[in-house]
Amino acid sequence: MPTYVTLLNWTDQGVRNYKDTAKRAEAFAATAQNLGAKLLNIYWTVGPYDLVAIVEAPDDETATATLLQLGGVGNVRTTSLRAFGHEEMDRIIAKAAG
């Protein structure tokens, strides 16, 4: 299943409600599952991003719907990156090499 690395920053609302962040992460995991995606892990980070989430989804549409649901709550803004595992990269290289 495709993997997505999502970089998250708290909005003003999100940082005001920082005490609820662990509960919000659990709610996001449940929402992802209901939409057909899976939150593999979430990390609270120090630096330019407040959190990093690793999500699996069957396709870009499901991943986008999941992240739209998350962003729509108003606590975070997201930047998502499609990530490729070792086996996927091997197939990409084989395809590129002809």
Side-chain angles (χ1 to χ4, degrees), residues 5-48:
V5 175
T6 303
L7 308 171
L8 302 103
N9 277 315
W10 282 334
T11 61
D12 289 341
Q13 172 184 308
V15 78
R16 275 194 311 272
N17 298 312
Y18 71 91
K19 291 178 183 178
D20 297 331
T21 188
K23 290 179 186 173
R24 292 194 313 249
E26 291 171 9
F28 173 55
T31 297
Q33 186 172 356
N34 289 338
L35 293 171
K38 182 177 181 182
L39 176 63
L40 297 179
N41 219 325
I42 190 163
Y43 302 96
W44 286 262
T45 57
V46 176

Side-chain angles (χ1 to χ4, degrees), residues 66-87:
T66 301
L67 295 168
L68 281 172
Q69 284 275 333
L70 175 64
V73 176
N75 292 307
V76 293
R77 289 189 183 85
T78 64
T79 301
S80 298
L81 309 164
R82 171 64 167 92
F84 298 93
H86 190 275
E87 289 179 12

